[in-house]
Amino acid sequence: MAKTTSNETKNEALKVAKATQKPGQTKEQTKLIAQGIEKGIAEYKKLQKGKARERDKVRKQAIKAKARSQEDVETSVEVSNNNSQSHYLPWGLLLISWVGFICWTLLS
Protein backbone atom coordinates (compact mmCIF):
# COMPACT_ATOMS: atom_id res chain seq x y z
CA MET A 1 0.00 0.00 0.00
CA ALA A 2 1.56 3.31 -1.08
CA LYS A 3 1.66 6.07 1.46
CA THR A 4 0.66 9.52 0.25
CA THR A 5 3.11 12.34 0.72
CA SER A 6 2.37 15.31 2.94
CA ASN A 7 1.15 18.63 1.64
CA GLU A 8 4.35 20.21 2.91
CA THR A 9 6.42 17.88 0.70
CA LYS A 10 4.15 18.57 -2.30
CA ASN A 11 4.45 22.33 -1.81
CA GLU A 12 8.21 22.10 -1.43
CA ALA A 13 8.50 20.02 -4.61
CA LEU A 14 6.30 22.48 -6.52
CA LYS A 15 8.44 25.43 -5.34
CA VAL A 16 11.61 23.69 -6.55
CA ALA A 17 9.99 22.80 -9.88
CA LYS A 18 8.80 26.39 -10.43
CA ALA A 19 12.20 27.77 -9.45
CA THR A 20 13.91 25.65 -12.11
CA GLN A 21 11.20 26.17 -14.73
CA LYS A 22 12.53 26.85 -18.24
CA PRO A 23 10.97 29.43 -20.57
CA GLY A 24 8.28 27.85 -22.70
CA GLN A 25 7.69 24.99 -20.27
CA THR A 26 4.00 24.12 -19.84
CA LYS A 27 2.19 23.80 -16.53
CA GLU A 28 1.80 20.06 -17.16
CA GLN A 29 5.55 19.64 -17.59
CA THR A 30 6.18 21.62 -14.42
CA LYS A 31 3.65 19.45 -12.60
CA LEU A 32 5.39 16.27 -13.79
CA ILE A 33 8.75 17.63 -12.66
CA ALA A 34 7.21 18.50 -9.27
CA GLN A 35 5.89 14.92 -8.96
CA GLY A 36 9.37 13.55 -9.70
CA ILE A 37 10.92 15.85 -7.11
CA GLU A 38 8.21 14.84 -4.64
CA LYS A 39 9.05 11.17 -5.16
CA GLY A 40 12.73 11.95 -4.68
CA ILE A 41 12.03 13.78 -1.43
CA ALA A 42 9.85 10.91 -0.19
CA GLU A 43 12.56 8.37 -1.06
CA TYR A 44 15.20 10.48 0.70
CA LYS A 45 13.05 10.74 3.83
CA LYS A 46 12.45 6.99 3.77
CA LEU A 47 16.19 6.28 3.54
CA GLN A 48 16.97 8.72 6.35
CA LYS A 49 14.31 7.12 8.52
CA GLY A 50 15.86 3.68 7.91
CA LYS A 51 19.35 4.99 8.73
CA ALA A 52 18.06 6.61 11.93
CA ARG A 53 16.40 3.34 12.93
CA GLU A 54 19.66 1.45 12.30
CA ARG A 55 21.69 4.01 14.31
CA ASP A 56 19.21 3.72 17.17
CA LYS A 57 19.46 -0.07 17.10
CA VAL A 58 23.28 0.07 17.22
CA ARG A 59 23.15 2.60 20.06
CA LYS A 60 20.78 0.41 22.08
CA GLN A 61 23.00 -2.64 21.52
CA ALA A 62 26.03 -0.67 22.71
CA ILE A 63 24.17 0.41 25.85
CA LYS A 64 23.13 -3.18 26.56
CA ALA A 65 26.69 -4.45 26.03
CA LYS A 66 28.08 -1.77 28.34
CA ALA A 67 25.52 -2.63 31.02
CA ARG A 68 26.37 -6.33 30.68
CA SER A 69 30.09 -5.67 31.02
CA GLN A 70 29.53 -3.47 34.08
CA GLU A 71 27.37 -6.20 35.61
CA ASP A 72 30.14 -8.75 34.98
CA VAL A 73 32.71 -6.47 36.62
CA GLU A 74 30.46 -5.93 39.65
CA THR A 75 29.88 -9.66 39.97
CA SER A 76 33.60 -10.42 39.83
CA VAL A 77 34.32 -7.70 42.42
CA GLU A 78 31.69 -9.20 44.73
CA VAL A 79 33.20 -12.67 44.32
CA SER A 80 36.70 -11.40 45.06
CA ASN A 81 35.41 -9.48 48.11
CA ASN A 82 33.67 -12.59 49.39
CA ASN A 83 36.84 -14.61 48.90
CA SER A 84 39.03 -12.07 50.71
CA GLN A 85 36.66 -11.96 53.69
CA SER A 86 36.00 -15.68 53.85
CA HIS A 87 39.67 -16.69 54.09
CA TYR A 88 39.79 -15.19 57.65
CA LEU A 89 37.09 -17.57 58.88
CA PRO A 90 39.09 -20.83 58.78
CA TRP A 91 42.14 -19.19 60.36
CA GLY A 92 39.97 -17.66 63.08
CA LEU A 93 38.34 -21.00 63.85
CA LEU A 94 41.76 -22.71 63.93
CA LEU A 95 43.09 -20.08 66.33
CA ILE A 96 40.04 -20.40 68.62
CA SER A 97 40.32 -24.21 68.65
CA TRP A 98 44.04 -24.05 69.58
CA VAL A 99 43.35 -21.52 72.34
CA GLY A 100 40.55 -23.76 73.62
CA PHE A 101 42.80 -26.83 73.47
CA ILE A 102 45.60 -25.05 75.38
CA CYS A 103 43.14 -23.78 78.02
CA TRP A 104 41.64 -27.27 78.41
CA THR A 105 45.16 -28.78 78.73
CA LEU A 106 46.26 -26.24 81.35
CA LEU A 107 43.07 -26.64 83.41
CA SER A 108 43.09 -30.42 83.47
Side-chain angles (χ1 to χ4, degrees), residues 10-80:
K10 288 179 184 179
N11 291 337
E12 189 178 333
L14 192 57
K15 277 184 194 177
V16 172
K18 284 184 180 180
T20 59
Q21 190 173 12
K22 304 279 184 198
Q25 185 173 319
T26 65
K27 286 186 178 183
E28 271 306 307
Q29 290 171 331
T30 306
K31 195 173 184 179
L32 288 173
I33 291 170
Q35 286 176 348
I37 293 170
E38 184 182 323
K39 285 180 184 179
I41 291 171
E43 185 67 26
Y44 175 79
K45 286 182 177 179
K46 190 167 93 173
L47 287 172
Q48 291 305 312
K49 197 176 203 179
K51 287 179 183 178
R53 207 174 311 125
E54 189 63 33
R55 282 192 307 266
D56 191 45
K57 187 187 295 185
V58 169
R59 184 183 59 84
K60 285 181 181 180
Q61 287 174 348
I63 290 171
K64 283 182 183 179
K66 187 176 180 182
R68 250 185 265 125
S69 67
Q70 284 179 345
E71 187 177 294
D72 291 345
V73 168
E74 289 172 2
T75 304
S76 65
V77 167
E78 286 177 13
V79 168
S80 66

Side-chain angles (χ1 to χ4, degrees), residues 4-11 38 45:
T4 60
T5 55
S6 68
N7 287 334
E8 182 182 321
T9 305
K10 288 179 184 179
N11 291 337
E38 184 182 323
K45 286 182 177 179

Side-chain angles (χ1 to χ4, degrees), residues 55-108:
R55 282 192 307 266
D56 191 45
K57 187 187 295 185
V58 169
R59 184 183 59 84
K60 285 181 181 180
Q61 287 174 348
I63 290 171
K64 283 182 183 179
K66 187 176 180 182
R68 250 185 265 125
S69 67
Q70 284 179 345
E71 187 177 294
D72 291 345
V73 168
E74 289 172 2
T75 304
S76 65
V77 167
E78 286 177 13
V79 168
S80 66
N81 285 345
N82 288 342
N83 288 343
S84 65
Q85 292 172 354
S86 64
H87 82 279
Y88 292 120
L89 181 63
W91 289 107
L93 291 174
L94 180 65
L95 181 67
I96 291 171
S97 66
W98 277 99
V99 169
F101 178 71
I102 292 171
C103 288
W104 178 75
T105 311
L106 292 175
L107 293 176
S108 35

